[in-house]
Amino acid sequence: RSFLIRSTYTTDAKAREENKKTIESLYRLSVDIKKIRRLKEWVLLQDVAYVKEIAGILQEMGADETAVANILERCPEAILHTPAEIDSQRALWQLVCQNEKQLIKLIEQFPESFFTTKYYENQKANILFFQELGLKNNIITRLLTSAPNIFYNPVEKNKNLIETLQRNYLSLGGSEANMKIWILKLLSQNPFVLLNTSTAIQENLEFLQKNDFTDHEVLQLLSKLKGFIFQLTPATMQKSMLFSQNVFKCSDQELKQLVLKCPALLYYSVPVLEERLEGLLKEGISVAQIRETPMVLELTTQIVQYRIKKLSALGYDLKSGTLESLDGTKKDFEVNYGKIQSKKERPIFNPVAPVHIED
């Protein structure tokens, strides 16, 4: 009996042939059918497909032949949606796109996000909620394309998360007047905070408070870390803090001050901190220097090596001084480097030295 079941299943699978009409329509659009067979052959086996109709909608939006082919190769399941579904999705995304030129560009880059029509009602409710909250459309499109599952959730889930953030902001001493600005800034800097749960947010804030960070200091860390703190766990933060304490041989209070000075000590995992520390030590930099300017641990080993090489070429010795010249953003470094370079190149001029005139 089990043999009969297996053989029936095999026969059914083999009996399902590719839809010739679909293949012909895709072929006319210069779509690489081999690519679809390799990645998502099941699309070609469906009885009903809307190749011409979906291609037509994309062309109406301004997609040329190459763009249409690329979109359908990357997301062939697009042809299984009805034209009505795609028209609805088009109108929905137009709520946050400046024009159809921007929309078609987003579809080219993120076709899977656009052609997910299953959660239409949730998507619409969430877009309207974020707009009412005051979030800019460019941030909403960033979320729609790179974290679309935020919009698949019922809008109540996102509302609860925002309320949790607002409640904690006020309980940490933030003012009612600044709360909206703080929330919008947080979401603009790191909209992926919405991928977290209310419980995770609560646990992370409680961890900091248990480690003797005052409410004001916790708020300070939230601003400096741009909400990335919510992507951590109490366990990973604990490990990173213990690692830093062992390396710098400091008290709990001193460690807290180092973390406030350089939140990377809290944010980066132990392996990352270890690698960056080793990279600095190999260059002859001491632990004492790193403790004085811990922000250098925010830089990757490659960036550190590049900057040390550039400064060494000017004769600048990092081993004997501070690491401030090494620190900062790319722009900060270039400014510091320029100052050191101009100081080195400037001729030494003594205004009271006698002028030698040849006869």
Side-chain angles (χ1 to χ4, degrees), residues 341-352:
Q341 191 177 33
S342 60
K343 192 176 178 182
K344 183 179 171 63
E345 289 172 357
R346 196 179 302 131
I348 297 166
F349 174 65
N350 185 349
V352 294

Side-chain angles (χ1 to χ4, degrees), residues 204-221:
N204 285 0
L205 294 176
E206 283 170 11
F207 167 81
L208 294 172
Q209 289 168 320
K210 283 175 189 171
N211 279 272
D212 296 328
F213 286 92
T214 64
D215 289 351
H216 176 72
E217 287 167 344
V218 174
L219 265 186
Q220 196 180 324
L221 278 173

Side-chain angles (χ1 to χ4, degrees), residues 133 162 165-166 179-188:
L133 194 66
I162 297 294
L165 289 168
Q166 290 172 329
M179 185 174 68
K180 186 178 179 180
I181 297 165
W182 180 78
I183 284 285
L184 291 176
K185 190 177 179 183
L186 181 71
L187 293 175
S188 298

Side-chain angles (χ1 to χ4, degrees), residues 255-310:
L255 176 67
K256 196 179 84 165
Q257 292 309 313
L258 281 172
V259 169
L260 287 169
K261 198 173 179 182
C262 175
L265 296 176
L266 192 71
Y267 178 70
Y268 288 120
S269 65
V270 170
V272 171
L273 290 172
E274 211 163 24
E275 184 204 340
R276 293 184 179 187
L277 189 77
E278 281 175 14
L280 287 161
L281 295 176
K282 278 179 185 173
E283 297 292 339
I285 289 162
S286 68
V287 171
Q289 283 177 297
I290 299 167
R291 181 173 168 170
E292 195 64 36
T293 315
M295 294 79 74
V296 291
L297 291 169
E298 292 174 1
L299 306 170
T300 65
T301 305
Q302 290 78 10
I303 291 172
V304 165
Q305 288 171 343
Y306 168 77
R307 292 184 180 184
I308 288 175
K309 194 175 178 182
K310 282 198 82 173

Side-chain angles (χ1 to χ4, degrees), residues 59-222:
Q59 285 161 351
E60 270 178 40
M61 285 190 272
D64 60 20
E65 189 182 329
T66 306
V68 171
N70 286 338
I71 290 167
L72 298 184
E73 282 167 13
R74 285 187 61 195
C75 185
E77 58 269 38
I79 63 173
L80 303 180
H81 293 290
T82 65
E85 285 174 328
I86 300 310
D87 278 332
S88 296
Q89 200 73 347
R90 176 183 179 179
L92 183 65
W93 281 50
Q94 280 175 330
L95 292 173
V96 289
C97 287
Q98 294 171 358
N99 48 48
E100 292 210 315
K101 188 181 177 183
Q102 186 199 6
L103 175 53
I104 200 66
K105 194 176 176 183
L106 288 175
I107 297 171
E108 279 187 74
Q109 290 176 300
F110 308 96
E112 292 87 355
S113 300
F114 179 78
F115 289 107
T116 301
T117 62
K118 187 180 173 184
Y119 308 96
Y120 174 80
E121 292 302 330
N122 285 353
Q123 283 181 321
K124 187 174 182 180
N126 278 305
I127 285 173
L128 295 175
F129 165 62
F130 291 135
Q131 286 180 327
E132 284 165 21
L133 194 66
L135 207 58
K136 289 182 179 177
N137 284 340
N138 65 320
I139 302 297
I140 300 174
T141 54
R142 186 178 155 203
L143 274 171
L144 263 175
T145 52
S146 46
N149 45 335
I150 288 170
F151 295 82
Y152 304 159
N153 294 324
V155 70
E156 289 73 28
K157 184 181 183 297
N158 289 323
K159 280 183 179 176
N160 288 339
L161 199 80
I162 297 294
E163 283 165 12
T164 300
L165 289 168
Q166 290 172 329
R167 191 169 57 250
N168 279 295
Y169 177 76
L170 293 174
S171 71
L172 291 168
S175 71
E176 190 88 48
N178 291 332
M179 185 174 68
K180 186 178 179 180
I181 297 165
W182 180 78
I183 284 285
L184 291 176
K185 190 177 179 183
L186 181 71
L187 293 175
S188 298
Q189 289 174 328
N190 178 23
F192 306 103
V193 70
L194 292 163
L195 290 169
N196 298 290
T197 63
S198 299
T199 310
I201 287 172
Q202 206 67 48
E203 285 175 354
N204 285 0
L205 294 176
E206 283 170 11
F207 167 81
L208 294 172
Q209 289 168 320
K210 283 175 189 171
N211 279 272
D212 296 328
F213 286 92
T214 64
D215 289 351
H216 176 72
E217 287 167 344
V218 174
L219 265 186
Q220 196 180 324
L221 278 173
L222 289 184

